Amino acid sequence: MSRVRALTVALTAAALSVTTLVAATQASAAGVNYVALGDSYSAGVGSGSYTSDSGSCSRSTKAYPYLWKTAHAPTSFSFVACSGARTDDVVANQLSALSSSTTLVSITIGGNDAGFASTMQTCVLDSESSCLSAVSAAKSYATNTLPGKLTSLYGQIKAKAPNAHVVVLGYPHLYQVPGTCIFGISNTKRTAINGAADTLDTVIAKQAADAGFTFKDVRSAFAGHEICGSSTQWLNSTTLPVSDSYHPNSTGQANGYLPLFSAAA
């Protein structure tokens, strides 16, 4: 065989191998009908690159659901997570995307029910005592009222998508304590806010388990990458637009949420 022909054969074989590998990777999600539900943490608020058709929901091409879709090419993908969503909003505006053919569902929900945005506003702008009071109210809601809301929502997800594998993801600590920030809120406030995340995640994890869903705890993944962390931050501090504040940035979506969801999907 001549050198030219040998080279041609080798290049053809390599090209076929690459094509086969790509096809196999995409085929791994063939037959998967994926619906991404939830709030701003699933929509990708804070990571930029928002889709033109998402409006005030601010769905991002850098959010973990969209990144997973791009990497795995599922048979269908419905991205309905929306900024500001509470459990009732998911029921009213998102569950219609589910059906008996849905095979995979992801969701983050509960933070807005517990008053995440208003609590952060109080802690950033008001006194320490006001912050601690707001955090206490949020934790009380998460402990006493949110479980019933989640039980109802999860039951409706199961009813509308009885054949789906449902992955529920939690919320990270926002702050590293003690942190490296020179300015900003006190360590006392930061500790209280992280404590609220712990309460929220504990409640969500229990309700997800009771429903037979898979819960993924993101706190350890974000450890060392929180606001005031010593290494690269995966979360936005106070920023513009204000709505992006205290949400994962594109790195947090790609390196924090995506790997955990991928492992569970």
Side-chain angles (χ1 to χ4, degrees), residues 6 10 37 54 101 116 150 178 205:
L37 307 171
S54 64
S101 65
F116 167 77
L150 293 175

Side-chain angles (χ1 to χ4, degrees), residues 35-52:
V35 178
L37 307 171
D39 57 19
S40 54
Y41 273 61
S42 287
V45 172
S47 58
S49 187
Y50 305 117
T51 61
S52 59

Side-chain angles (χ1 to χ4, degrees), residues 38 52 59 88 123 142 153 184 227 236:
S52 59
R59 288 185 282 268
D88 290 345
C123 287
L153 172 59
I227 299 168
N236 296 316

Side-chain angles (χ1 to χ4, degrees), residues 159-209:
K160 289 184 172 292
N163 302 309
H165 172 52
V166 181
V167 181
V168 179
L169 297 106
Y171 298 94
H173 285 161
L174 290 182
Y175 293 99
Q176 181 169 305
V177 183
T180 58
C181 293
I182 299 175
F183 302 104
I185 66 176
S186 67
N187 281 334
T188 298
K189 288 182 177 181
R190 295 172 192 166
T191 299
I193 292 168
N194 286 350
D198 290 335
T199 298
L200 192 58
D201 283 333
T202 297
V203 170
I204 293 171
K206 182 182 185 305
Q207 299 307 312

